């Protein structure tokens, strides 16, 4: 009998460890999901979810109540099923915005009274137009302990009116993001659908401890600059389990623009991107091109991309300054891509003519491994800068097949050093020497 119990104990232990191993790796623990005992509904403030009534006063009144009553543990603002049309509104600390299944928060398309805010100091001006910028649809500045979640309700930016202004060149200021957290910390965004953003979808900037998980982000492939998630001069960011299909980069890490980003000097660091899939005419995972404050310690893994312009794109330019270092991308599958991997120092525009052409970015310690692609028109392009070569570029176990089987145009490289192992089609000669292989062990 003791032997039977011992065998059963061993079996249970093995089952426990097998289950533990099966649990997906996550970085979401950097922010704890808070339970809010105090709950209110937007309907309590007169909101009507008929898709016609403008509910701006209701949203602002509800958030004013949360901000000024200071309930212990914060307050949950419940959005019941229905379509709630509203102008832009600000969030406050210690709150949860909870969208029920079938709930839609929809932006009005009246752009005439859309509030303006100052340009980001690390950009020096609006990203599209000189001067200020339109505030994001849902905005948070200097707040903390905030959750946006629910039962896969929708936040809809109704961005087509803004896209048309961009196409017709009638924009006066830079278009609004769908959601922006500025100077904020301890933020969770999960289980929500974001669609039709006027500009970038989710933009944490000068912020820390950000978790974005189980989200869907959608915009037409021809919608201009509708990046999915753009961590910008932010640290400790966890992006996991997302589906993104937009008109621009799915995830783009940034840190300021030319002389303004250099002067502001706030890097993006410690960013994890995991289990993201989607499609875009631009990049799947991008770093840049605005990297003047520096980008370091970025780890991306288990990425699945379909119908993309560039699978993995690291991009910078003269005048950017800053650095891009300690970047690791692994376990990527891509299908139908113009380019598999691109690292380039000639990408992106400038805010004005005051940039310093001698402010050259430093790019080093870039590792790509375990990447597989089919129907990839060009495997790789790595173009460093003559006066600032890219170093420590390390490729391992990469197979990027062409449109007609395993053949694909060769890699194109210049002003780059590093090493490569098990790369098909064969990598450029600049990444092949044993001496250079030793440099990869430093990163």
């Amino acid at each position: 009998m003791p032997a039977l119990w011992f065998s059963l104990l061993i079996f249970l232990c093995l089952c426990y460890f097998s289950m533990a191993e099966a649990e997906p790796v996550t970085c979401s623990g950097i922010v704890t999901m808070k339970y809010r005992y105090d709950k209110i509904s937007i309907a309590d403030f007169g909101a009507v979810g008929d898709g016609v009534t403008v509910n701006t006063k209701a949203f602002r009144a509800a958030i004013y109540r949360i901000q000024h009553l200071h309930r212990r543990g914060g307050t949950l603002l419940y959005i019941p099923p229905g379509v709630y049309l509203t102008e832009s509104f600000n969030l406050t600390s210690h709150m949860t915005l909870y969208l029920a299944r079938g709930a839609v928060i929809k932006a009005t398309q009246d752009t005439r009274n859309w509030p303006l805010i100052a340009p980001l100091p690390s950009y020096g001006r609006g990203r599209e137009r000189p001067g200020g910028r339109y505030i994001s649809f849902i905005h948070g500045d200097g707040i903390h302990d905030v959750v946006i979640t629910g039962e896969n309700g929708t936040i809809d930016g109704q961005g087509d009116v803004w896209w048309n202004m961009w196409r017709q060149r009638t924009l006066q200021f830079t278009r609004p993001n769908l959601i922006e957290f500025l100077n904020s910390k301890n933020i969770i965004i999960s289980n929500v659908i974001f669609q039709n953003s006027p500009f970038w979808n989710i933009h944490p900037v000068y912020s820390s401890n950000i978790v974005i998980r189980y989200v869907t982000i959608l915009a037409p492939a021809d919608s201009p600059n509708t990046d999915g998630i753009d961590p910008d001069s932010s640290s400790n960011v966890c992006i996991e389990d997302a589906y993104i299909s937009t008109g621009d980069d799915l995830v783009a890490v940034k840190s300021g623009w030319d002389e303004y980003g250099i002067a502001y000097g706030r890097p993006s660091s410690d960013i994890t991107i995991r289990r993201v899939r989607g499609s875009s005419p631009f990049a799947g995972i991008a770093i840049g091109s605005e990297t003047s404050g520096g980008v370091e310690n970025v780890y991306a893994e288990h990425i699945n991309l379909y119908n993309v312009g560039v699978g993995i794109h690291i991009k910078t330019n003269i005048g950017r300054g800053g650095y891009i270092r300690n970047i690791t991308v692994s376990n990527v599958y891509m299908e139908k891509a113009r380019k598999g991997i691109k690292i380039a120092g000639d990408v992106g525009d400038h805010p004005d003519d005051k940039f310093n052409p001698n402010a050259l970015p430093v790019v080093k310690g870039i590792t790509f491994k375990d990447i597989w692609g089919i129907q990839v028109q060009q495997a790789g392009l790595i173009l460093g800068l003559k006066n600032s070569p890219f170093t420590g570029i390390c490729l391992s176990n990469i197979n990027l097949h062409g449109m007609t089987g395993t053949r694909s145009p060769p890699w194109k490289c210049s002003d780059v050093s590093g090493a490569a192992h098990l790369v098909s089609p064969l990598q450029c000669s600049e990444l092949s020497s044993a001496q250079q292989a030793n440099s990869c062990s430093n990163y």
Side-chain angles (χ1 to χ4, degrees):
M1 190 71 172
L4 178 62
W5 281 109
F6 180 76
S7 299
L8 180 60
L9 179 62
I10 293 296
F11 174 76
L12 290 173
C13 287
L14 288 172
C15 289
Y16 173 80
F17 286 118
S18 296
M19 290 172 64
E21 289 178 357
E23 293 180 359
V25 176
T26 180
C27 52
S28 60
I30 62 173
V31 184
T32 302
M33 180 75 81
K34 298 288 185 68
Y35 181 81
R36 315 286 192 194
Y37 291 95
D38 185 46
K39 300 179 179 65
I40 58 176
S41 171
I42 195 66
D44 300 337
F45 298 84
V48 180
D50 60 4
V52 177
T53 304
V54 178
N55 296 288
T56 309
K57 289 183 179 179
F59 276 94
R60 293 178 181 173
I63 292 166
Y64 182 89
R65 186 266 195 197
I66 296 170
Q67 184 177 10
H68 289 87
L69 283 187
H70 302 295
R71 297 298 192 195
R72 184 177 180 181
T75 297
L76 182 147
L77 175 57
Y78 178 76
I79 313 300
V83 179
Y84 298 87
L85 195 65
T86 177
E87 297 172 337
S88 65
F89 60 91
N90 294 316
L91 301 179
T92 189
S93 296
H94 308 298
M95 74 168 286
T96 295
L97 179 64
Y98 189 97
L99 285 79
R101 186 175 302 279
V104 180
I105 302 175
K106 183 174 284 190
T108 64
Q109 290 191 308
D110 184 356
T111 65
R112 294 169 298 176
N113 299 316
W114 203 281
L116 287 170
I117 56 175
L120 294 168
S122 59
Y123 284 75
R125 46 160 280 183
R127 184 58 186 84
E128 297 183 288
R129 300 284 298 159
R133 58 201 184 103
Y134 294 106
I135 196 170
S136 60
F137 175 47
I138 298 177
H139 195 74
D141 189 351
I143 62 176
H144 61 280
D145 181 23
V146 174
V147 179
I148 300 175
T149 190
E151 304 164 64
N152 291 317
T154 300
I155 296 175
D156 186 345
Q158 291 210 95
D160 55 341
V161 64
W162 297 97
W163 308 334
N164 289 333
M165 290 167 65
W166 180 86
R167 294 178 183 121
Q168 296 161 9
R169 300 187 178 182
T170 58
L171 274 173
Q172 291 184 293
F173 302 97
T174 295
R175 286 172 283 159
N177 301 308
L178 192 57
I179 292 181
E180 180 175 84
F181 285 100
L182 176 68
N183 301 309
S184 298
K185 62 182 179 180
N186 298 329
I187 308 294
I188 297 175
I189 302 173
S190 72
N191 299 93
V192 175
I193 298 168
F194 301 92
Q195 67 184 28
N196 300 324
S197 176
F199 193 52
W200 301 343
N201 275 268
I202 301 175
H203 185 219
V205 57
Y206 316 146
S207 295
S208 62
N209 297 346
I210 310 292
V211 173
I212 303 169
R213 198 176 186 211
Y214 301 130
V215 299
T216 299
I217 303 175
L218 305 172
D222 64 348
S223 57
N225 310 108
T226 51
D227 295 25
I229 304 170
D230 286 4
D232 197 343
S233 292
S234 293
S235 60
N236 295 324
V237 179
C238 174
I239 301 167
E240 290 182 337
D241 302 295
Y243 177 81
I244 307 172
S245 179
T246 61
D248 212 316
D249 300 340
L250 305 186
V251 178
V253 182
K254 303 175 181 292
S255 68
W257 204 12
D258 285 7
E259 69 269 27
Y260 304 104
I262 294 170
Y264 196 72
R266 180 156 178 176
S268 276
S269 63
D270 302 307
I271 295 172
T272 300
I273 306 161
R274 181 183 285 124
R275 296 184 298 273
V276 170
R277 55 193 185 90
S279 62
S280 166
F282 288 88
I285 305 299
I287 295 176
S289 72
E290 307 91 334
T291 55
S292 300
V295 175
E296 63 182 349
N297 304 335
V298 177
Y299 183 70
E301 68 171 357
H302 299 297
I303 311 297
N304 287 271
L305 305 171
Y306 305 87
N307 295 314
V308 292
V310 182
I312 311 298
H313 195 182
I314 296 177
K315 44 187 173 176
T316 184
N317 208 334
I318 62 168
R320 290 287 192 269
Y323 52 82
I324 301 171
R325 64 193 182 202
N326 195 20
I327 312 297
T328 301
V329 181
S330 68
N331 292 290
V332 178
Y333 173 81
M334 64 184 76
E335 185 174 327
K336 295 183 180 178
R338 290 197 308 274
K339 290 182 175 64
I341 293 170
K342 183 177 180 181
I343 309 174
D346 61 352
V347 179
D349 55 354
H350 303 284
D352 50 42
D353 59 2
K354 298 176 183 177
F355 71 92
N356 178 5
N358 295 316
L360 301 178
V362 174
V363 177
K364 65 178 182 179
I366 312 295
T367 299
F368 291 147
K369 59 184 180 180
D370 302 324
I371 297 174
W372 186 276
I374 62 174
Q375 299 186 56
V376 178
Q377 294 179 27
Q378 183 177 23
L381 186 69
I382 307 178
L383 304 176
L385 295 168
K386 183 177 181 180
N387 294 320
S388 185
F390 298 169
T391 61
I393 309 300
C394 307
L395 311 178
S396 175
N397 192 26
I398 295 175
N399 290 271
L400 296 170
H401 300 284
M403 303 300 289
T404 55
T406 58
R407 286 191 155 192
S408 184
W411 291 68
K412 182 178 180 182
C413 301
S414 62
D415 300 300
V416 57
S417 64
H421 178 64
L422 297 176
V423 175
S424 175
L426 193 63
Q427 74 285 348
C428 46
S429 59
E430 291 89 342
L431 302 178
S432 60
S433 75
Q435 182 178 2
Q436 291 163 341
N438 293 333
S439 70
C440 287
S441 62
N442 297 324
Y443 302 102

